[in-house]
Amino acid sequence: MKYYLFAAALFPALADAHPHGTVEQQLHLSLGRDMAELTWIIVPPAEQAGHLLAHLDLDGDSALDEAERAAFAQALVDATLLSVNGEEVALAESEAIVPDATAISQDAGRLEMTARSNLVLPTESFATLSVEVSYSEFSEDWFIQPFYFENLADGASPRIERAPNALTVSIPAVAR
């Protein structure tokens, strides 16, 4: 019994030592028949600024250089799986907006990164596009929101299926 009481007393301290779950994480998935654009947005609250900075500052100098920003952007890409009809699609990083260490420590630390991929979606049959994010350094939860480019907005609406940290979009054939 005393071990249970010890564990119960210790658990809140462990939860506070590495707080997660308060960081807002979204992935905006913009789709067209010929392109996908993914934008990861991470917005930590003020109390998470130190944890976020410590994670990004690989050399511990309290500054974020281009190599550290690039490493973070690559980690997001590496932790994201985009596939069309079960085949993985490569992502090319195109833009990373990672504020400097001062901005992060002053609660102005919105992180944003965009990557794009060329797609070839079939027009005669359904296509299934899936995305899954496994990056969990700041929070376990990702909200994935789809948007559609004009060449996908015409015709029947895509069907969306949500799962934790994942989204599947079934894209109908082009009506003739």
Side-chain angles (χ1 to χ4, degrees):
M1 180 68 166
K2 66 181 174 182
Y3 294 110
Y4 291 120
L5 292 174
F6 177 74
L10 183 61
F11 180 73
L14 290 175
D16 287 342
H18 195 60
H20 283 202
T22 59
V23 176
E24 295 296 324
Q25 297 183 142
Q26 292 187 17
L27 173 64
H28 294 180
L29 173 65
S30 299
L31 296 175
R33 290 210 173 266
D34 58 353
M35 186 174 87
E37 182 178 280
L38 289 78
T39 302
W40 296 260
I41 300 169
I42 300 173
V43 183
E47 63 269 12
Q48 289 287 322
H51 170 68
L52 186 112
L53 182 57
H55 177 74
L56 298 176
D57 183 15
L58 301 175
D59 60 11
D61 67 354
S62 297
L64 298 178
D65 59 34
E66 286 305 312
E68 290 165 330
R69 290 176 180 163
F72 172 67
Q74 190 60 50
L76 284 175
V77 169
D78 292 346
T80 302
L81 175 63
L82 178 68
S83 63
V84 174
N85 295 333
E87 297 290 323
E88 187 172 349
V89 176
L91 293 171
E93 178 196 336
S94 57
E95 180 181 7
I97 301 170
V98 178
D100 63 25
T102 303
I104 290 172
S105 66
Q106 295 175 350
D107 194 25
R110 174 186 165 123
L111 309 175
E112 187 173 321
M113 204 276 288
T114 300
R116 293 178 181 85
S117 181
N118 294 325
L119 300 177
V120 180
L121 299 181
T123 57
E124 296 81 33
S125 62
F126 265 87
T128 302
L129 187 136
S130 298
V131 65
E132 182 175 349
V133 183
S134 62
Y135 190 87
S136 61
E137 292 299 323
F138 308 125
S139 176
E140 297 293 325
D141 300 316
W142 284 89
F143 178 75
I144 303 172
Q145 179 63 49
F147 299 94
Y148 306 118
F149 292 122
E150 188 174 324
N151 66 2
L152 194 58
D154 297 335
S157 295
R159 190 179 83 235
I160 299 168
E161 295 178 38
R162 293 185 187 279
N165 304 322
L167 181 82
T168 299
V169 180
S170 297
I171 302 164
V174 175
R176 296 189 181 236

